[in-house]
Amino acid sequence: MSHPEDPTQNGFNSAPVGEVRNAERSEIEHLVRLWFSGWQDAHAAILPAELSRYRTPESFRQRLIDGLALTRVSGPPDSPSGLCMIKQDELYQLYVAPAARGTGTAAALLADGERRIAASAVSTAWLACAIGNERAARFYEKHGWHRAGQMTNQLPTPDGTFDLEVWRYEKRL
């Protein structure tokens, strides 16, 4: 896994953890870059190469547009350093810029996502973690999530469904 020497590389800064807030439409392009960079960093080397052709900035942009109402961010307006998206009982996406790792940004976004899921009367939340993403697995376990096993995550793509074996994590809320 590579980490840039310059923490401001890619336009992401390491501003202190800010209030977790709703993502704004004006932040979509910044969030696309953050998400794409984070996906490349965490997943490109451990997931099937054929999945990479579907994980483009355009695909992230469309998912952000579709899920903007369920996306929260932390960091400066128009330049957030992290994002969290939920889908019903799933903590769907959690990405933090490399420069914001270790600042509490990911923990704040995770806790906010858990609260939002719990508010919909869900008692157990779940998330999919790429098999081999040890850094993410340690983070989730540190925050009370447990690995419930493996599952096949059916990822929608323009060509149909892409089946991907993942670790399933769960947490009682």
Side-chain angles (χ1 to χ4, degrees):
M1 223 171 294
S2 65
H3 297 283
E5 295 292 323
D6 177 2
T8 62
Q9 185 173 337
N10 296 328
F12 307 121
N13 61 45
S14 59
V17 178
E19 177 182 334
V20 175
R21 58 183 173 74
N22 294 330
E24 299 291 332
R25 185 164 288 282
S26 64
E27 297 173 317
I28 287 177
E29 291 310 312
H30 180 82
L31 293 172
V32 166
R33 289 189 305 275
L34 185 142
W35 194 350
F36 182 74
S37 174
W39 192 91
Q40 293 297 318
D41 181 40
H43 299 111
I46 62 173
L47 294 181
E50 59 268 24
L51 182 58
S52 292
R53 73 182 178 115
Y54 297 113
R55 295 305 183 237
T56 64
E58 293 77 21
S59 74
F60 293 131
R61 183 177 299 105
Q62 190 57 56
R63 288 197 283 165
L64 273 167
I65 290 167
D66 293 346
L68 192 63
L70 299 173
T71 304
R72 305 260 291 163
V73 298
S74 180
D78 294 323
S79 186
S81 55
L83 71 89
C84 179
M85 185 185 296
I86 63 168
K87 272 186 170 181
Q88 300 162 343
D89 60 345
E90 179 185 8
L91 192 95
Y92 178 58
Q93 301 293 329
L94 179 65
Y95 283 92
V96 174
R101 293 179 189 153
T103 66
T105 298
L109 287 164
L110 179 66
D112 180 77
E114 292 170 0
R115 280 191 296 276
R116 291 186 293 141
I117 292 170
S120 64
V122 169
S123 60
T124 302
W126 72 278
L127 62 85
C129 180
I131 294 172
N133 190 346
E134 298 295 340
R135 181 179 64 214
R138 283 190 306 272
F139 172 79
Y140 295 130
E141 290 167 5
K142 177 181 173 182
H143 292 279
W145 291 76
H146 74 278
R147 192 179 305 173
Q150 286 186 208
M151 63 175 261
T152 301
N153 204 2
Q154 296 185 320
L155 307 173
T157 73
D159 297 330
T161 302
F162 188 98
D163 290 344
L164 181 68
E165 285 297 308
V166 297
W167 289 325
R168 180 184 171 104
Y169 275 83
E170 295 180 352
K171 183 174 184 179
R172 296 230 5 112
L173 303 175

